[in-house]
């Protein structure tokens, strides 16, 4: 009885899949503060041309450069697992599969785009990359990727995380990156915050401002983002493309695909390649899973909003809880984002993908159940997908349906064991969405006269 | 250009390799305090019959039960990597390969024997396992393995590690094990220590005593050991057996095999299957790598000594620094052992395997260089093998020889990032062997009139 469906290195996809080619309606462009569309040229100060082209491309297939595929070989293709032991523990007639993205050196799917972004920047003469990171999954992935191409990487890490999660910081330093506790004295944005709040513990919004300022002010430096943007989701489609080949080998096909969703790159990465089949008439449910504490797709408003807290980015049409919304401190840091990818938001709005929100305690219960069955200890973000996979499987137990359930194991939890401790010690809470009136969030949206 | 040489699950070896069948001289039996050999029956209070049989077996091949192979499938066969990027960074004509054992859910090679030991105990009606752990690699592996067969696992974790390395403890608890800070009040051995030293921070010796006492005093409970014993090394030969198939696929064969060596199970696991070829005349060097702070094979005495600090175990003929020797607190906790496996010791004594000792700073330098080239951040123990692999490769650069170098990447360093921090902060020391006169250790050896 096979556990892992493996592919050889020669089977690593040669092209990424661009969902825009198959969407019934084109995604809307980003807007400036005055409500008029922003052209690609506005982004050249912080992004390389190649990535801007990918951001606006309508081509279905975009070739993966050979040097990127060579780095991918260090951990790709990632295995597709059949969760025989979890199925047995649940007593379900369902078949459960998961793609194991935790096998990358950084421990998550994030390097899939980090490597690509570093390479494209390098091709255009960029020698330094700046970025922000919260808990550190993204920062560590970019640190590893930049280092592999001999580039300097500067990571602005939210100060409270810098001190609370020192081991992700250690990882970044092991890969040669410089890591700063944000706010710093090195940028105008940082100095402004420190002047007003000398003891500021930082925020993702501040860290983004610092990283963007550094990139915008230096010719040798560009900015790199770990989710949300079209080109980031594009790079992550390597996950779903491999999975399709693996399901073909297994002689199976998923009825439902589940992935945790913060900015959208994990969900898009695994689900979008299956969307092509769905658009062609195939029956497959694509479900984005988010925390009830930050229910962007399930309870947010579909409106133009900023991508960052400080309001520096262009306005994007998306599901949002308001760009100034600070989600409760759940352990799934990667899902604490007020907005969502334009592509995922639009597909959700059009009813082509589903969204569901789950509370924190149930996600850790699911993660522990998974770890005891399958061995791997998942990241708190991943536990959201596992929760819904288990719920689907238990429903199959009721109905007797032998559904094929597929979720993405986006990362391991080796740097999140303190969260598991708190769960087992009964110290975790569900942290539901704190705004009593969801309509109140509307007042926090920017007023845009959409052009 | 291929990076990973993969095997399918059907290629997982069906038998473990028992080196005893190919050794020029039979290994000596363990002795009682009076110097007379101890028979297998003396061990039945704490070990199952099947493992005692393996401990004394002379059969070359021992079948791996199907249920153990099924669990192995969760992470095995592990990939064999060609370190193209490290070779390029070193500018060496040598070819460097490594077997990646960090892919197991516990993050090291330890589950290879943990799963086997749990299964054999279960077959004989045992429902509880007790063991000790220092830094936690072994304890977490047994926790995972026991849980997979529905067994209770009780881990006595050295108190200082229990508090300093809380995340390995969290892992064990996630897999359902009970973890105690040793010394405890639950055993006679623990209570005796606490009576005299209420603030004792514990030691591996004390923890072993507690775990053995618990196993010896309850019919439903057996004791499980993570290295040193013949049957433990036997189970680990799955590593070398897979590697041989992978080298065959690659059309290559190692000139030298390097593995870190504490109790001997990592080294034996990867090197022993190649010993069969060596015994048949093939030229291959087998090199055990240990820390200069605990230079058992390179500077120890070949004598009968206890396996534990407290002197509870039978006497075994081995290289030893004296069973009361407490090695300096280097970060490679798995290599801080005063003695060594009887099998590895004898092969070393007979000149059939080599041993080399390396100082701590150079191992971290090597680990960081490896991480920056290949991505994976290795465990401090593993860095010992990497140091010597790099040294061999640099020597090839001098001589121009295109040697094939192979080492075992025994584990990842995700739970050892504090050690990397100290290294980068310049706070680490080499910690050389502290006994000025190596002869002084002789006085600490038990006086045995060998039978």
């Amino acid at each position: 009885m096979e556990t892992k469906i493996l592919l050889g290195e020669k089977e690593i996809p040669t092209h990424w899949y661009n969902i825009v080619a198959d969407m019934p309606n084109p995604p809307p462009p980003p807007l400036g503060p005055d409500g008029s569309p922003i052209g690609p040229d506005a982004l050249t100060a912080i992004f390389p041309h190649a990535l801007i082209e990918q951001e606006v491309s309508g081509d279905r297939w975009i070739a993966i450069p050979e040097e990127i595929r060579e780095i991918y070989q260090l951990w790709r293709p990632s295995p597709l697992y059949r969760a025989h032991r979890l199925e047995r523990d649940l007593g379900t007639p369902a078949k459960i599969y998961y793609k194991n993205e935790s096998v990358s050196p950084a421990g998550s799917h994030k390097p899939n785009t980090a490597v690509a972004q570093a390479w494209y920047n390098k091709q255009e003469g960029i020698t330094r990359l700046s970025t922000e990171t919260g808990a550190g999954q993204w920062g560590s992935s970019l640190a590893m990727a930049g280092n592999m191409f001999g580039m300097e990487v500067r990571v602005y890490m939210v100060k409270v995380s810098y001190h609370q999660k020192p081991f992700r910081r250690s990882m970044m330093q092991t890969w040669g990156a410089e890591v700063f506790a944000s706010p710093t004295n090195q940028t105008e944005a940082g100095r402004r915050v420190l002047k007003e709040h000398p003891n500021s513990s930082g925020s993702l919004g501040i860290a983004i401002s610092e990283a963007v300022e550094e990139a915008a002010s230096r010719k040798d430096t560009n900015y790199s983002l770990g989710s949300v943007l079209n080109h980031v989701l594009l790079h992550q489609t390597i996950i779903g493309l491999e999975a399709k080949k693996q399901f073909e080998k297994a002689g199976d096909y998923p009825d439902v695909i589940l992935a945790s969703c913060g900015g959208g790159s994990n969900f898009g990465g695994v689900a979008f390649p299956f969307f092509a089949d769905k658009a062609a008439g195939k029956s497959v449910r694509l479900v984005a899973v988010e925390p009830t504490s930050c229910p962007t797709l399930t309870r947010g408003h579909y409106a133009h909003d900023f991508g960052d807290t400080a309001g520096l980015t262009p306005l994007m049409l998306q599901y949002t809880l308001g760009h100034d919304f600070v989600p409760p401190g759940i352990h799934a840091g990667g899902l604490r984002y007020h907005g969502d990818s334009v592509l995922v938001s639009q597909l959700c709005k059009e009813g082509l993908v589903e969204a569901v929100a789950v509370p924190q305690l149930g996600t850790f219960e699911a993660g522990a159940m998974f770890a005891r069955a399958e061995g791997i200890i998942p990241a708190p973000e991943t536990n959201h997908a596992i929760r819904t996979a288990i719920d689907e499987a238990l429903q199959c137990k009721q109905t007797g349906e032998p559904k094929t359930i597929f979720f993405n194991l986006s990362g391991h939890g080796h740097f999140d064991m303190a969260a598991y401790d708190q769960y087992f010690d009964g110290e975790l809470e569900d942290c539901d969405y704190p705004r009593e009136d969801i309509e109140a969030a509307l007042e926090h949206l920017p007023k845009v006269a959409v052009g």
Side-chain angles (χ1 to χ4, degrees), chain A:
Chain A
M1 204 164 62
E2 210 173 29
T3 299
K4 301 185 296 298
I5 297 109
L6 300 174
L7 299 175
E9 291 179 348
K10 292 198 178 102
E11 295 172 281
I12 292 176
T14 55
H15 292 71
W16 292 298
Y17 168 70
N18 182 6
I19 195 171
V20 173
D22 287 318
M23 287 169 73
N25 300 299
L31 305 181
D34 62 351
S36 59
I38 285 184
D41 291 349
L43 302 169
T44 55
I46 57 170
F47 293 118
H49 293 281
L51 292 181
I52 296 172
E53 265 172 45
Q54 291 180 0
E55 189 65 21
V56 299
S57 171
D59 298 346
R60 182 172 284 106
W61 297 104
I62 293 178
I64 307 177
E66 191 50 36
E67 277 175 274
I68 294 174
R69 292 180 74 231
E70 263 178 32
I71 305 276
Y72 280 171
Q73 286 181 192
L74 290 173
W75 70 93
R76 305 209 70 85
S78 69
L80 178 73
Y81 276 71
R82 172 81 186 272
H84 292 296
R85 297 176 53 84
L86 180 63
E87 291 170 18
R88 192 198 58 193
D89 285 1
L90 295 171
T92 178
K95 288 180 279 182
I96 305 175
Y97 292 86
Y98 58 96
K99 181 87 166 150
N100 183 2
E101 288 293 309
S102 79
V103 296
S104 81
S108 78
H109 65 297
K110 293 285 185 192
N112 295 331
T113 184
V115 168
Q117 291 189 44
W119 187 83
Y120 282 112
N121 273 290
K122 171 99 180 211
Q123 297 321 106
E124 298 188 22
I126 295 296
T127 59
R128 291 166 93 245
L129 292 172
S130 69
T131 198
E132 75 289 333
T133 202
Q137 282 273 19
W138 167 244
S140 55
S141 298
L142 193 69
M144 183 190 83
N147 166 73
M148 284 186 167
F149 296 114
M151 304 169 82
E152 279 180 58
V153 176
R154 295 167 66 86
V155 183
Y156 293 89
M157 186 171 187
V158 177
K159 193 182 277 175
V160 59
S161 299
Y162 183 93
H163 294 298
Q164 277 178 358
K165 307 219 171 185
F167 297 143
R168 277 273 168 205
R169 166 169 57 81
S170 316
M171 271 185 118
M172 296 185 240
Q173 289 170 338
T174 302
W175 284 317
E178 282 187 281
V179 188
F180 307 101
S182 167
T184 75
N185 264 315
Q186 304 192 30
T187 66
E188 188 51 47
R191 285 189 291 271
R192 207 178 307 135
V193 173
L194 287 174
K195 196 172 167 190
E196 211 167 322
H197 307 286
N199 297 319
S200 165
S201 58
S203 75
L204 214 46
I206 298 167
I208 292 177
S209 304
E210 293 204 273
V212 169
E213 181 187 323
E214 171 157 357
S217 63
R218 287 184 60 140
K219 269 216 167 354
D220 61 353
T221 305
N222 266 347
Y223 171 70
S224 202
L225 191 66
S227 190
V228 178
L229 298 179
N230 300 358
H231 69 270
V232 181
L233 275 64
L234 174 79
H235 302 152
Q236 293 293 359
T237 59
I238 190 94
I239 305 170
L241 291 167
E242 284 180 5
K244 283 178 79 166
K245 291 190 194 189
Q246 287 162 313
F247 272 106
E248 210 174 298
K249 277 202 176 184
D252 211 337
Y253 194 89
D255 293 302
V256 55
I257 300 176
L258 304 151
S260 63
C261 190
S265 79
N266 173 50
F267 172 74
V270 65
F272 283 4
F274 290 88
F275 180 85
D277 297 345
K278 190 181 173 79
K282 185 119 187 162
S283 165
V284 52
R285 291 172 53 210
L286 311 176
V287 185
V289 190
E290 57 187 17
T292 49
S293 57
C294 189
T296 316
L297 295 171
T298 49
R299 297 184 63 194
H301 298 282
Y302 191 60
H304 280 88
D305 200 357
F306 297 111
D308 67 321
T309 314
L312 296 176
T313 71
L315 291 160
M316 290 173 289
L317 185 58
Q318 61 186 309
Y319 278 100
T320 175
L321 298 165
H323 63 277
D324 65 345
F325 173 58
V326 179
I330 58 165
H331 284 283
L335 307 184
R336 293 180 66 229
Y337 185 60
H338 71 276
D340 214 308
S341 135
V342 167
L343 298 177
V344 172
S345 295
Q346 177 173 333
L347 292 167
C348 198
K349 179 73 179 171
E350 293 173 350
L352 296 168
V353 312
E354 302 166 44
V356 62
V358 292
Q360 177 164 259
L361 282 177
T363 65
F364 277 93
E365 182 195 39
M369 187 183 289
F370 180 84
R372 289 176 188 187
E374 299 285 316
I376 301 167
I377 298 176
E381 291 83 358
T382 307
N383 288 343
H384 287 69
I386 297 177
R387 173 75 267 169
T388 50
I390 289 176
D391 289 345
E392 287 276 345
L394 290 176
Q395 209 178 339
C396 288
K397 194 176 177 177
Q398 296 291 324
T399 63
E401 284 174 289
K403 276 192 193 168
T404 298
I405 298 165
F406 171 40
F407 72 89
N408 194 34
L409 190 105
S410 50
H412 63 59
H414 298 173
F415 295 90
D416 303 284
M417 295 313 301
Y420 279 90
D421 274 351
Q422 286 188 20
Y423 169 67
F424 287 117
D425 291 348
E427 290 168 10
L428 280 196
E429 289 176 7
D430 273 343
C431 303
D432 277 345
Y433 181 64
R435 282 188 173 154
E436 286 189 21
D437 182 359
I438 193 79
E439 295 305 315
L442 272 179
E443 294 165 24
H444 297 259
L445 297 178
K447 305 290 173 280
V448 187
V450 177

